[in-house]
Amino acid sequence: PEVDAPADDVDTVAVPDFAGLGVGKALDRARELHIPVEVIGSGRVIAQDPPAGPATSFTKLTLRFSDETRGIH
């Protein structure tokens, strides 16, 4: 039957919610899911792109961490 197109199953990925995770735990979770990550800052995750939920065809997950603007008050 229609088994010759396994790529259709990979097009949608369930992106987990990384909010509040530290750098180590966030990277470990992304590594377990084979998701490439761009890290901005350090501390805890305050934003991510794509957001948590179903996502299609993204090349990497961008995680923004809490101390990115540490010097700005």
Side-chain angles (χ1 to χ4, degrees):
E2 299 179 20
V3 179
D4 59 349
D8 290 343
D9 295 335
V10 181
D11 287 344
T12 301
V13 176
V15 178
D17 186 0
F18 288 87
L21 294 180
V23 174
K25 287 189 178 187
L27 292 178
D28 286 346
R29 181 171 292 175
R31 194 173 301 119
E32 288 170 6
L33 299 170
H34 306 284
I35 300 173
V37 178
E38 176 184 3
V39 172
I40 300 172
S42 62
R44 300 207 173 269
V45 177
I46 57 171
Q48 71 181 66
D49 182 41
T56 56
S57 303
F58 67 95
T59 56
K60 68 181 171 187
L61 173 71
T62 301
L63 297 177
R64 189 173 309 274
F65 290 83
S66 57
D67 79 343
E68 172 192 12
T69 56
R70 178 179 287 183
I72 300 172
H73 290 101

